[in-house]
């Protein structure tokens, strides 16, 4: 099918957001961020306390797009082969046959990813970065798009393992849900009294339509000044005295890719510095590690501190002079 124009991408994106909001009300910012990551072919980490709708957001997004979907419930006894697949000996052919694991889907929901051991968490590293699985020396390609939407509880919760830096860096963005507003929570008591609203969610975009939208998003124009601005933000995190680990080059690439999706969803075929600013915290913050001196009394929750540091860096970094439009 022909690739849609920017206006059509925006209309379809709005339809997906509206569909998800029939389940997740009052959380438009989180819904838009999740769709932005999907259109940019990244991976999303949703972190918050239990019971605020992390998994429900992932499930409703998955049901709004006609993709192959699998769900992995991460537990301490989960093995890497339970995620990627395993080679099984076939008696009839007297040879080993690879049985694909649940990662062989367009959208993989990793529920409570930080309850699995670091060994199992690392099984996703190759999948998320190279979109392939290597088993017994044989490489198996994953389908396109391939998106991991993982949920995790805060690291101070009982029975959790902190995600290693290498895995956090593979997530394009990290968002939080937060508690619902009083009116939304009150309405929830009525709408979910007899059934779950997710059972009524039907796909509004087909697989080939989503693939075409992704191709259109990849062609959104990012001018040289805007790219330089993204690089300056990343370099500023590496030089900041309050951070001992700054943003990686992968973070810069993903920041620009996410900004293209953000621009397309707002009806533009070019990226503005405003797109970079809007995504700086969700794309950069989870990759950064503060110094022990900066942590101070934030030992158990460094998230707000790092968010503040990123916002300060965005404020202090000069916005590039020059049009973002194509000449």
């Amino acid at each position: 099918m022909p690739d849609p124009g920017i206006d059509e991408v925006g209309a379809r994106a709005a339809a997906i957001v509206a569909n998800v909001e029939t389940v997740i009300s009052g959380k438009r910012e989180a819904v838009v961020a999740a769709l932005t990551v999907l259109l940019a072919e990244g991976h999303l980490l949703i972190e918050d306390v239990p019971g605020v709708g992390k998994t429900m957001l992932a499930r409703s997004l998955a049901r709004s797009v006609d993709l192959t979907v699998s769900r992995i419930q991460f537990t301490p006894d989960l093995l890497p082969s339970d995620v990627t697949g395993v080679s099984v000996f076939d008696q009839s052919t007297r040879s080993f046959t690879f049985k694909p694991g649940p990662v062989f889907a367009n959208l993989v929901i990793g529920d409570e990813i930080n309850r699995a051991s670091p060994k199992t968490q690392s099984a996703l590293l190759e999948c998320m970065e190279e979109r392939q699985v290597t088993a017994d020396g044989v490489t198996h390609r994953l389908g396109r798009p391939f998106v991991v939407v993982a949920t995790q509880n805060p690291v101070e919760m009982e029975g959790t393992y902190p995600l290693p830096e290498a895995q956090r860096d593979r997530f394009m963005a990290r968002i939080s849900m937060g508690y619902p507003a009083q009116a939304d929570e009150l309405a929830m008591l009525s709408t979910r009294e007899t059934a779950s609203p997710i059972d009524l969610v039907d796909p509004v975009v087909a697989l080939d339509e989503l693939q075409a939208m992704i191709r259109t998003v990849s062609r959104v124009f990012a001018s040289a000044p805007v790219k330089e601005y993204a690089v300056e933000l990343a370099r500023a995190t590496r030089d900041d005295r309050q951070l001992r680990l700054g943003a990686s080059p992968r973070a810069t690439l993903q920041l620009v890719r996410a900004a293209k999706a953000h621009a397309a969803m707002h009806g533009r075929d070019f990226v503005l510095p405003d797109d970079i600013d809007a995504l700086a915290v969700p794309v950069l913050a989870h990759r950064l590690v503060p110094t022990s001196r900066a942590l101070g009394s934030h030992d158990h929750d460094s998230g707000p501190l790092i968010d503040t540091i990123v916002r300060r860096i965005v404020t202090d970094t000069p916005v590039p002079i020059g049009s973002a439009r194509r000449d």
Side-chain angles (χ1 to χ4, degrees):
M1 65 176 296
D3 293 348
I6 288 296
D7 291 340
E8 191 174 351
V9 169
R12 290 178 180 174
I16 296 174
V17 170
N19 209 41
V20 174
E21 285 189 317
T22 62
V23 180
I24 307 293
S25 59
K27 297 296 177 183
R28 174 171 285 264
E29 186 176 345
V31 175
V32 170
L35 182 56
T36 300
V37 172
L38 177 61
L39 292 177
E41 282 196 284
H43 307 292
L44 179 66
L45 181 62
I46 310 174
E47 181 184 57
D48 218 315
V49 296
V52 294
K54 301 187 301 294
T55 306
M56 192 68 74
L57 172 59
R59 290 180 60 201
S60 57
L61 179 63
R63 296 194 63 161
S64 296
V65 183
D66 191 16
L67 303 173
T68 57
V69 180
S70 66
R71 177 176 173 178
I72 307 171
Q73 184 66 53
F74 282 82
T75 56
D77 60 346
L78 194 71
L79 298 175
S81 58
D82 296 330
V83 175
T84 59
V86 64
S87 294
V88 178
F89 186 73
D90 190 336
Q91 292 281 4
S92 60
T93 61
R94 303 191 63 82
S95 62
F96 284 93
T97 302
F98 180 71
K99 300 295 184 182
V103 294
F104 285 84
N106 294 126
L107 196 151
V108 178
I109 301 173
D111 200 16
E112 296 189 297
I113 188 173
N114 61 337
R115 291 201 181 279
S117 67
K119 179 180 180 180
T120 301
Q121 291 176 11
S122 66
L124 284 172
L125 294 179
E126 182 185 14
C127 308
M128 295 174 67
E129 177 62 19
E130 301 172 50
R131 289 175 167 79
Q132 65 183 31
V133 170
T134 302
D136 298 327
V138 179
T139 298
H140 307 271
R141 301 294 302 180
L142 297 172
R144 300 291 294 268
F146 172 71
V147 177
V148 175
V149 179
T151 70
Q152 73 166 357
N153 296 311
V155 293
E156 66 269 16
M157 303 290 282
E158 185 175 354
T160 59
Y161 300 85
L163 294 181
E165 290 84 354
Q167 183 146 14
R168 293 205 307 269
D169 195 48
R170 281 165 167 76
F171 284 100
M172 176 174 282
R174 181 190 65 183
I175 62 173
S176 297
M177 298 293 293
Y179 290 110
Q182 182 177 358
D184 293 321
E185 191 168 6
L186 186 61
M188 188 189 309
L189 298 179
S190 300
T191 57
R192 304 189 184 185
E193 197 167 21
T194 57
S196 173
I198 199 170
D199 295 333
L200 305 176
V201 174
D202 294 317
V204 294
V205 171
L207 174 59
D208 58 345
E209 292 174 325
L210 178 65
Q211 291 171 334
M213 290 171 66
I214 290 172
R215 290 194 296 269
T216 299
V217 164
S218 68
R219 292 194 297 270
V220 169
F221 178 69
S223 66
V226 169
K227 292 178 181 177
E228 290 170 7
Y229 181 51
V231 170
E232 286 302 317
L233 287 178
R235 292 180 65 85
T237 65
R238 301 165 197 165
D239 299 333
D240 196 273
R241 292 184 177 181
Q242 289 187 291
L243 300 173
R244 63 181 178 89
L245 179 64
S248 66
R250 181 193 285 123
T252 313
L253 288 168
Q254 295 191 348
L255 179 58
V256 174
R257 281 170 48 197
K260 289 184 176 184
H262 189 268
M265 291 174 63
H266 288 78
R268 284 181 279 106
D269 63 352
F270 57 91
V271 178
L272 291 174
D274 291 347
D275 298 312
I276 301 290
D277 291 349
L279 294 163
V281 171
V283 173
L284 299 180
H286 64 287
R287 311 166 191 268
L288 310 179
V289 179
T291 63
S292 56
R293 175 174 295 184
L295 269 175
S297 60
H298 299 270
D299 287 342
H300 297 294
D301 188 9
S302 62
L305 170 66
I306 297 178
D307 290 355
T308 301
I309 294 173
V310 174
R311 293 190 185 99
R312 171 176 55 77
I313 290 174
V314 170
T315 301
D316 294 345
T317 303
V319 176
I321 300 175
S323 174
R325 290 183 181 272
R326 192 182 281 105
D327 293 334

